[in-house]
Amino acid sequence: MIRLDVTPESAGWGYSGLRVVVLAAGEEFHHDTGGDEVVVVPLAGSATVTTDGDKAELTGRPSVFDGPTDVVYVPIGTTLRLRSTDGGRFALATARATRRLPFRHIPVAQQRIELRGAGVCSRQVNNFATTDVLAADRIIACEVLTPGGNWSSYPPHRHDDLEEIYYFEVAGGGPAYQRADGVREVRTGEVVLIPDGWHGPSMAAPGYDLYYLNVMAGPGERAWVIEDEPEHAWFRDTWTDQAIDSRLPFGEKGEEDR
């Protein structure tokens, strides 16, 4: 069952996409990647990913708040088959691409798990499809976990060569907030699309931990170029005198990267 389906066409842009697939126990999902490269991200549960000539077992996790997960990269021009013995929920992050790169399984040990910011801006970033971790044609993807009461995606910033999708899950079913064009309340399963411009912060309401999956792609060089909004850039300097929130990390121990 496809619970969410954002394509470049439905978003009104050219590159970034995201599907969220829910599988019952023993159920299988088939997808022809066509012109999209795909990163399969378990949100809850484990699965087997097979293509015409490759196979990977995804260990997954009980939920997004239980630590990082292994992921699979699937190239363009491939039939992807996703099967879950016990059932689960899986994100298929996509980018319109032209180069066909190899199928790859990226375990947690090969990813870069970082603790970013400090104080009330402390958050955990799981880098599994960023440019320093995964060789790809266009896709850039990572996930961010923010303890309740904290802010992430702060200072506000932009990277106008990239079309960005924010997909949210909130522990306990609570609300969270995202500033993009105004401030929007978001809940589990919702997305915010950011074609360009200043955006952030992402705000976790007190008592409700926040997760979001970022999917980005664009027409230019595959580079995660971030420019802080000048009015608020000074706040980054305050982190040097603050400790990282003791509630982090949610899963595997991360490296400090402020």
Side-chain angles (χ1 to χ4, degrees):
M1 171 184 173
I2 299 176
R3 179 168 291 178
L4 174 74
D5 193 5
V6 178
T7 66
E9 291 75 19
S10 68
W13 56 32
Y15 297 92
S16 297
L18 176 67
R19 289 180 178 85
V20 175
V21 177
V22 178
L23 298 181
E27 191 175 6
E28 189 167 298
F29 173 76
H30 289 200
H31 174 65
D32 291 328
T33 63
D36 291 336
E37 56 185 354
V38 180
V39 178
V40 181
V41 184
L43 301 172
S46 58
T48 303
V49 179
T50 56
T51 65
D52 302 329
D54 296 285
K55 179 178 180 179
E57 299 289 343
L58 282 171
T59 303
R61 54 193 168 182
S63 82
V64 296
F65 298 102
D66 288 306
T69 180
D70 53 343
V71 304
V72 164
Y73 173 87
V74 182
I76 63 174
T78 303
T79 299
L80 182 162
R81 290 174 290 276
L82 179 67
R83 186 179 188 279
S84 179
T85 300
D86 298 320
R89 190 171 67 258
F90 306 90
L92 278 62
T94 69
R96 201 59 46 86
T98 56
R99 290 191 301 143
R100 193 176 197 278
L101 284 83
F103 176 100
R104 272 155 294 159
H105 177 228
I106 303 99
V108 173
Q110 294 180 13
Q111 300 174 27
R112 184 166 61 86
I113 313 302
E114 60 177 306
L115 304 184
R116 187 179 295 173
V120 296
C121 288
S122 301
R123 62 271 202 187
Q124 177 178 335
V125 184
N126 299 333
N127 296 281
F128 51 77
T130 48
T131 58
D132 58 337
V133 174
L134 174 69
D137 187 27
R138 293 196 181 277
I139 195 165
I140 299 173
C142 67
E143 55 189 14
V144 181
L145 295 107
T146 309
N150 285 8
W151 288 23
S152 57
S153 283
Y154 195 80
H157 61 280
R158 68 181 180 188
H159 25 73
D160 285 351
D161 286 340
L162 296 173
E163 307 158 350
E164 184 169 14
I165 300 171
Y166 278 70
Y167 165 81
F168 297 92
E169 297 202 1
V170 188
Y177 302 89
Q178 174 67 41
R179 174 185 174 248
D181 183 12
V183 177
R184 174 179 165 183
E185 180 179 305
V186 293
R187 293 179 181 267
T188 293
E190 296 186 346
V191 296
V192 171
L193 306 182
I194 301 175
D196 53 34
W198 304 113
H199 54 281
S202 304
M203 294 160 272
Y208 298 102
D209 297 331
L210 173 64
Y211 165 95
Y212 55 87
L213 170 65
N214 280 147
V215 184
M216 292 164 277
E221 179 185 359
R222 183 177 178 249
W224 197 359
V225 178
I226 297 176
E227 178 187 358
D228 286 341
E229 191 170 12
E231 181 181 356
H232 306 290
W234 63 269
F235 192 75
R236 190 180 294 275
D237 295 334
T238 70
W239 297 344
T240 58
D241 298 324
Q242 300 181 62
I244 292 176
D245 193 312
S246 61
R247 292 173 290 178
L248 294 174
F250 282 87
E252 297 293 330
K253 182 63 179 173
E255 64 186 65
E256 292 189 18
D257 187 350
R258 301 187 183 187

